[in-house]
C-alpha cells in the first residue's frame, strides 16, 4: 500500500519508529565506545554498491528503510567518539542529544510568538544571559541584542553587513560612495569566511600580518589603515579573532579596539572557537577586551560541545539588527496582533524559516548549570596542557609554536627523518608525513586528527578537543597510535 501522506498513523508507523529509535539508541552508545572504530573507511564504489543512492519512482518498504538507516550509521564518521579530534567540534552530549530530539519532534520555526511561544522566550533568555556575560552590565541594564545564526561563517557575514550599515548611517555624506571604497581589515590567519563575505558585501579586504603565535600585528594594522585612507578609501571595520582555526591564537583585542576607536571603525570579534572561555573564571582572561567589540560571534557547538549547529551573533548596539534587517512583512508581523509586537523576533533575522537551535543549548545549560560548563572548559584546557607537555617530553614530536589555548600544533618526525633537519630535502619529506599518517589512521579507523600547512611551515597535525569525556589515557593513546603508525615511515 502506498504510504504517501505526511501524517503519523499508529497502525502504519508506530512499530517502524520504535525499531528506528532502538537503532539510534544503540548507535548513540556504541559509537562512543573506545573498542569500536572512529570510522569504517570504504571507497565510494563500495558504498555505492551497498547503499542504493538512486531516487526511484516507487516507495521502498519500511524494512528496507531500516536496513539503509543501519548502514548509514555504520559507515558514517563517529564524531562523538573519543578519538575524533578532526574538527573544532566533537562529542555527543546526552542532554544535547535530548535537546536535538526535542527540536526535531517540534519541527518549529522561530519567527513569531504565536508559532513558537516557548522557544521565543527561550531565545530571549539565552541571548540576554550571554549579553550579560560578554558585555557585562552598565548601570544595571543589559545592553545590546543578538540572534542565532546558521553557522559561524554566516554570523561573520551578518557582522560585516552590520558594520557597513552602521558606517554608512553614521556618515550621511558617504551614502553614495561605492562599497568598493569601503575597506575591511582582518588577519592573514582569520577564518576564510571573512574574505568570502567581503566579496558578498562588495567591500575590499586587507589582510594584516600575524606574529609567530598567529596574533594580529597591530603595528601592521595601523600602517595599512593609514595607507588605505591615503588612497581615498574608507576604513570601516576590523574583524579580529579570539581563537584562530589552526593555531588557536587570540588577537590583542584591547590594542585593536583602541585603534578602532581612534579611526571610528566597527570592531567585530570572531570568537566562534574561543568564546566558550567566557564560562571559565580561570581562562576567560584570554578574552580581555572583548566587551569593547561592536559585535561578537560565538559558537556553542564548538568549545561547549552543543550539537551541530548552534551559533550566535551578539552586538552592543541595541536596535541595529532591527534597523538593518526589518522589512515588516504584513503576512507575519501584523501590527494589530493580540500580544506585544516585540515578541515576534523574526523580523530582525536575515532568514525567515529558522530552526530553534537554542533548544539544545538551553537544555544542556539547564542540565549542567553555568558551573558545569565551567568544569567542562577547564577540563579541556587541562587535557590540552597535558598534550603539550607530552610533546615536549617525547622523542619524535616537535611543537610548531607555543600555544595558550586548546590547539596544540605539532610535527611527528618519523625515525627516518630524525637528526636530519639540515638536509636539503627535509621540509619536503616532512611535508609528506602527515598526509600519509592521516591515511593510515583513517583507513584503520583508530584516530582522526587533522593536518594542514601554514605559511612556510610544512604539513603539521593540530590537536583539538571538545569532548570532556576524554581523560589522560586518551592523550597517551594519541601519541602511542601516532608512534605505532609512523614507526616504519
Amino acid at each position: 500500500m502506498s504510504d504517501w501522506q505526511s501524517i503519523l498513523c499508529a497502525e502504519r508507523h508506530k512499530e517502524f519508529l520504535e525499531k528506528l529509535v532502538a537503532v539510534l539508541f544503540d548507535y548513540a552508545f556504541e559509537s562512543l565506545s573506545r573498542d569500536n572504530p572512529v570510522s569504517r573507511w570504504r571507497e565510494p564504489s563500495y558504498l555505492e554498491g551497498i547503499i542504493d543512492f538512486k531516487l526511484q519512482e516507487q516507495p521502498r518498504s519500511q524494512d528496507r528503510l531500516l536496513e539503509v538507516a543501519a548502514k548509514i550509521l555504520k559507515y558514517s564518521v563517529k564524531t562523538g567518539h573519543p578519538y575524533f579530534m578532526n574538527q573544532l567540534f566533537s562529542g555527543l552530549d546526552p542532554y544535547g542529544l535530548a535537546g536535538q530530539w526535542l527540536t526535531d519532534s517540534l519541527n518549529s520555526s522561530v519567527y513569531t510568538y504565536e508559532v513558537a511561544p516557548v522557544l521565543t522566550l527561550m531565545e530571549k533568555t539565552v541571548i540576554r544571559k550571554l549579553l550579560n556575560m560578554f558585555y557585562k552590565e552598565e548601570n544595571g541594564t543589559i545592553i545590546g541584542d543578538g540572534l542565532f545564526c546558521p553557522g559561524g561563517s554566516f554570523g561573520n557575514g551578518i557582522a560585516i553587513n552590520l558594520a557597513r550599515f552602521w558606517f554608512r548611517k553614521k556618515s550621511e555624506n558617504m551614502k553614495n560612495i561605492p562599497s568598493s571604497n569601503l575597506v575591511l581589515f582582518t588577519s592573514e590567519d582569520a577564518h576564510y569566511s571573512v574574505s568570502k563575505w567581503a566579496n558578498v558585501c562588495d567591500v575590499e579586504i586587507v589582510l594584516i600580518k600575524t606574529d609567530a603565535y598567529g596574533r594580529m600585528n597591530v603595528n601592521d594594522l595601523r600602517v595599512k589603515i593609514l595607507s588605505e585612507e591615503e588612497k581615498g578609501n574608507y576604513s570601516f571595520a576590523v574583524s579580529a579573532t579570539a581563537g584562530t582555526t589552526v593555531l588557536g591564537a587570540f588577537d590583542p583585542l584591547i590594542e585593536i579596539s583602541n585603534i578602532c576607536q581612534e579611526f571610528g571603525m566597527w570592531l567585530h570579534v570572531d570568537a566562534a572557537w574561543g568564546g566558550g572561555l567566557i564560562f571559565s573564571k580561570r581562562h576567560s582572561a584570554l578574552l580581555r577586551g572583548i566587551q569593547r567589540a561592536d559585535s561578537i560571534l560565538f559558537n556553542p557547538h564548538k568549545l561547549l560541545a552543543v550539537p551541530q549547529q548552534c551559533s550566535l551573533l551578539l552586538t552592543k548596539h541595541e536596535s541595529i539588527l532591527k534597523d538593518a534587517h526589518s522589512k515588516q512583512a504584513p503576512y507575519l508581523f501584523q501590527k494589530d496582533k493580540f500580544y506585544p509586537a516585540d515578541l515576534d523576533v523574526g523580523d530582525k533575522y536575515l532568514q525567515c524559516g529558522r530552526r530553534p537551535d537554542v533548544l539544545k543549548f538551553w537544555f544542556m545549560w539547564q542540565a549542567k548549570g553555568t558551573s558545569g560548563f565551567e568544569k567542562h572548559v577547564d577540563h579541556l584546557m587541562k587535557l590540552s596542557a597535558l598534550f603539550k607537555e607530552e610533546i615536549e617530553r617525547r622523542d619524535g614530536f616537535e611543537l610548531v609554536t607555543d600555544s595558550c589555548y586548546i590547539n596544540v600544533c605539532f610535527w611527528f618526525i618519523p625515525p627516518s627523518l630524525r637528526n636530519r633537519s639540515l638536509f636539503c630535502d627535509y621540509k619536503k619529506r616532512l611535508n609528506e608525513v602527515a598526509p600519509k599518517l592521516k591515511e593510515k589512521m583513517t583507513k584503520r579507523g583508530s584516530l582522526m586528527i587533522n593536518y594542514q600547512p601554514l605559511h612556510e611551515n610544512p604539513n603539521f597535525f593540530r590537536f583539538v578537543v571538545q569532548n570532556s569525556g576524554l581523560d589522560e589515557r586518551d592523550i597517551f593513546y594519541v601519541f602511542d597510535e601516532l608512534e605505532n603508525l609512523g614507526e616504519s615511515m
Side-chain angles (χ1 to χ4, degrees):
M1 182 178 69
S2 179
D3 190 10
W4 56 268
Q5 292 177 306
S6 297
I7 188 168
L8 285 173
C9 172
E11 181 181 347
R12 292 200 301 270
H13 305 127
K14 187 172 186 291
E15 183 179 359
F16 166 71
L17 290 175
E18 286 175 344
K19 288 180 179 179
L20 181 60
V21 168
V23 170
L24 293 173
F25 193 79
D26 289 343
Y27 169 83
F29 287 94
E30 291 172 3
S31 68
L32 309 185
S33 172
R34 292 169 175 82
D35 295 329
N36 292 326
V38 181
S39 65
R40 292 178 173 88
W41 171 264
R42 297 293 186 273
E43 297 293 339
S45 58
Y46 179 88
L47 295 178
E48 290 169 344
I50 65 169
I51 300 176
D52 187 359
F53 289 100
K54 297 189 299 294
L55 301 172
Q56 66 291 318
E57 184 69 23
Q58 297 302 319
R60 292 178 176 174
S61 68
Q62 291 181 354
D63 288 342
R64 180 61 177 149
L65 292 174
L66 290 171
E67 291 175 10
V68 170
K71 290 175 182 177
I72 291 170
L73 295 173
K74 182 176 181 178
Y75 293 105
S76 293
V77 175
K78 313 302 183 287
T79 59
H81 196 286
Y83 303 143
F84 178 82
M85 303 168 181
N86 210 60
Q87 260 73 44
L88 301 184
F89 73 92
S90 66
L92 184 61
D93 186 272
Y95 302 106
L97 180 61
Q100 286 274 61
W101 288 345
L102 283 169
T103 299
D104 288 340
S105 296
L106 289 173
N107 189 35
S108 188
S109 187
V110 191
Y111 32 60
T112 62
Y113 179 79
E114 62 186 301
V115 170
V118 174
L119 300 170
T120 296
L121 299 179
M122 198 177 286
E123 275 197 356
K124 283 178 170 286
T125 300
V126 170
I127 289 171
R128 283 178 61 83
K129 178 65 175 177
L130 290 173
L131 286 169
N132 185 35
M133 293 173 71
F134 279 100
Y135 285 116
K136 310 302 179 187
E137 292 187 6
E138 293 187 359
N139 300 323
T141 303
I142 298 174
I143 64 168
D145 198 3
L147 43 72
F148 280 79
C149 315
S153 293
F154 196 87
N156 280 332
I158 296 174
I160 293 170
N161 189 54
L162 290 178
R164 183 178 63 169
F165 174 85
W166 168 84
F167 189 77
R168 288 186 178 281
K169 187 176 181 181
K170 80 182 183 73
S171 309
E172 290 293 328
N173 61 327
M174 297 182 183
K175 285 188 176 179
N176 297 321
I177 292 173
S179 293
S180 56
N181 286 101
L182 299 180
V183 184
L184 167 71
F185 301 84
T186 196
S187 89
E188 58 186 356
D189 288 353
H191 194 264
Y192 65 89
S193 62
V194 178
S195 294
K196 281 190 173 185
W197 280 98
N199 290 337
V200 173
C201 294
D202 192 28
V203 298
E204 292 297 310
I205 188 165
V206 172
L207 300 182
I208 307 302
K209 294 177 183 177
T210 54
D211 62 18
Y213 304 102
R215 302 172 301 195
M216 185 187 292
N217 183 318
V218 291
N219 292 327
D220 190 49
L221 173 63
R222 176 178 290 278
V223 167
K224 286 179 175 172
I225 290 173
L226 292 172
S227 174
E228 291 301 319
E229 298 207 338
E230 286 178 5
K231 296 176 187 176
N233 293 327
Y234 297 89
S235 306
F236 79 103
V238 174
S239 180
T241 311
T244 57
T245 304
V246 177
L247 297 181
F250 287 72
D251 288 337
L253 299 181
I254 293 176
E255 292 89 339
I256 294 171
S257 61
N258 288 339
I259 289 175
C260 287
Q261 183 175 345
E262 177 184 348
F263 288 94
M265 301 167 67
W266 179 284
L267 173 58
H268 171 61
V269 177
D270 177 355
W273 176 216
L277 292 176
I278 200 72
F279 283 84
S280 171
K281 301 180 190 71
R282 186 179 306 170
H283 300 289
S284 59
L286 285 170
L287 296 171
R288 284 179 63 247
I290 198 168
Q291 71 277 5
R292 296 178 64 182
D294 294 280
S295 57
I296 300 167
L297 173 68
F298 167 45
N299 283 6
H301 72 239
K302 292 190 172 178
L303 187 62
L304 299 186
V306 175
Q308 290 270 25
Q309 64 189 11
C310 187
S311 178
L312 296 102
L313 181 70
L314 306 173
T315 174
K316 68 181 180 183
H317 301 272
E318 191 163 358
S319 64
I320 193 168
L321 294 173
K322 181 180 178 182
D323 293 344
H325 298 160
S326 178
K327 294 301 175 186
Q328 300 179 5
Y331 54 85
L332 275 178
F333 310 113
Q334 301 93 335
K335 297 183 183 300
D336 52 357
K337 286 188 175 180
F338 56 92
Y339 58 84
D342 63 355
L343 288 172
D344 288 349
V345 297
D347 207 18
K348 69 181 180 182
Y349 283 80
L350 288 181
Q351 310 114 278
C352 182
R354 181 169 59 85
R355 279 174 58 87
D357 292 329
V358 64
L359 179 48
K360 54 208 169 190
F361 186 22
W362 181 89
F363 206 76
M364 284 178 65
W365 207 329
Q366 291 290 324
K368 299 170 186 290
T370 305
S371 63
F373 278 131
E374 180 176 30
K375 291 173 183 175
H376 167 89
V377 170
D378 289 347
H379 180 69
L380 299 179
M381 292 291 282
K382 181 180 178 181
L383 290 177
S384 179
L386 174 62
F387 194 93
K388 179 183 169 185
E389 291 171 5
E390 195 68 10
I391 283 179
E392 295 172 327
R393 189 183 70 81
R394 293 201 184 203
D395 292 334
F397 292 87
E398 182 182 332
L399 284 172
V400 175
T401 186
D402 200 4
S403 172
C404 65
Y405 189 38
I406 284 175
N407 307 47
V408 182
C409 298
F410 65 96
W411 289 287
F412 172 74
I413 304 169
S416 62
L417 287 182
R418 292 173 195 172
N419 303 316
R420 296 174 65 91
S421 59
L422 298 180
F423 282 58
C424 61
D425 65 342
Y426 177 78
K427 278 195 172 184
K428 177 179 179 296
R429 293 181 63 185
L430 182 59
N431 192 61
E432 297 169 353
V433 171
K436 290 179 180 177
L437 269 180
K438 180 63 178 285
E439 179 182 359
K440 284 186 174 185
M441 70 175 73
T442 302
K443 290 184 174 179
R444 185 172 173 176
S446 58
L447 178 66
M448 287 193 72
I449 183 168
N450 206 11
Y451 75 87
Q452 60 282 302
L454 185 68
H455 305 312
E456 301 303 317
N457 290 314
N459 282 318
F460 56 87
F461 286 110
R462 178 196 60 179
F463 168 85
V464 288
V465 59
Q466 305 86 32
N467 186 345
S468 52
L470 273 65
D471 54 32
E472 292 186 3
R473 62 175 166 160
D474 299 309
I475 300 301
F476 299 134
Y477 169 86
V478 173
F479 285 97
D480 293 342
E481 184 65 10
L482 289 173
E483 288 175 340
N484 291 335
L485 293 172
E487 194 66 26
S488 61
M489 293 181 65

